[in-house]
Amino acid sequence: MSEINTIEGDLIVGDARFTLVVTRFNSFITESLLDGAVDTLLRHGAKRENLTIVRVPGAFELPLVVKKIAAKGDVDAIVALGAVIRGGTPHFEYVAGECVKGMASAMMAHQVPVAFGVLTVDSIEQAVERAGTKAGNKGGEAALSSIEMVNILRQLD
Ligand code: INI
């Protein structure tokens, strides 16, 4: 039987450049997501000089900054990190909805992978669980998916 042509991204960073965009809102959670993302990138061979961290006020501001970075075209991937925690009002839906829509559209417009490391959770407890405790670190997972995407796109180019 003939081989099936398969394209997969490995998890080796090489010389790839990453920008991590992190919210100050809920910083007690998002700084742990950032630690997880940076740790993952470094352990997969990223060079410190190829990492840039940008801090933004909240998740609502992520799309504009992500779009601006993507449009410049000088990074291989963007890792967006934030935490939107449901309160008693519809605010959560608006912030989370605009955040995901805006970042998806930036990714598609500029063809730069944007990893969605934004927690959308019902409680602080759920956020803590996903920021380096019993449900892992979603910042690290987002970083990993960005490495994979860089390597898939390099093969497709
Ligand atoms: N921003 C967040 O990143 N997470 C939240 O949970 C959140 N809530 O719930 O309000 C939040 N709001 C701030 C928003 O992102 C903007 O920074 C603000 O509205 C100013 O534009």
Side-chain angles (χ1 to χ4, degrees):
M1 261 215 292
S2 63
E3 288 280 317
I4 298 172
N5 184 31
T6 305
I7 294 174
E8 288 178 331
D10 63 31
L11 298 176
I12 298 163
V13 169
D15 58 358
R17 299 148 305 166
F18 295 81
T19 296
L20 302 107
V21 190
V22 59
T23 64
R24 293 184 190 282
F25 204 102
N26 291 328
S27 63
F28 66 105
I29 297 292
T30 63
E31 289 298 317
S32 295
L33 297 175
L34 178 63
D35 287 348
V38 169
D39 181 60
T40 297
L41 291 169
L42 292 177
R43 284 190 296 119
H44 283 82
K47 297 181 184 70
R48 282 181 181 273
E49 63 267 29
N50 287 340
L51 304 184
T52 303
I53 295 169
V54 178
R55 287 197 166 80
V56 300
F60 190 70
E61 283 73 32
L62 279 171
L64 175 59
V65 172
V66 164
K67 188 170 170 66
K68 187 106 183 156
I69 294 163
K72 273 188 87 183
D74 58 1
V75 293
D76 296 289
I78 300 168
V79 182
L81 302 165
V84 192
I85 303 175
R86 193 184 290 278
T89 69
H91 198 69
F92 170 95
E93 267 80 22
Y94 294 123
V95 172
E98 289 310 310
C99 175
V100 67
K101 253 194 295 169
M103 287 203 286
S105 98
M107 173 162 74
M108 299 311 286
H110 301 290
Q111 296 190 26
V112 174
V114 178
F116 190 71
V118 179
L119 304 179
T120 53
V121 291
D122 288 332
S123 66
I124 290 174
E125 191 189 4
Q126 286 181 351
V128 169
E129 283 173 4
R130 290 158 178 75
T133 62
K134 67 182 184 190
N137 187 313
K138 299 296 170 194
E141 288 177 25
L144 213 50
S145 76
S146 74
I147 300 169
E148 190 172 343
M149 284 298 291
V150 168
N151 290 324
I152 291 170
L153 292 186
R154 283 185 173 175
Q155 289 183 67
L156 292 173
D157 278 343

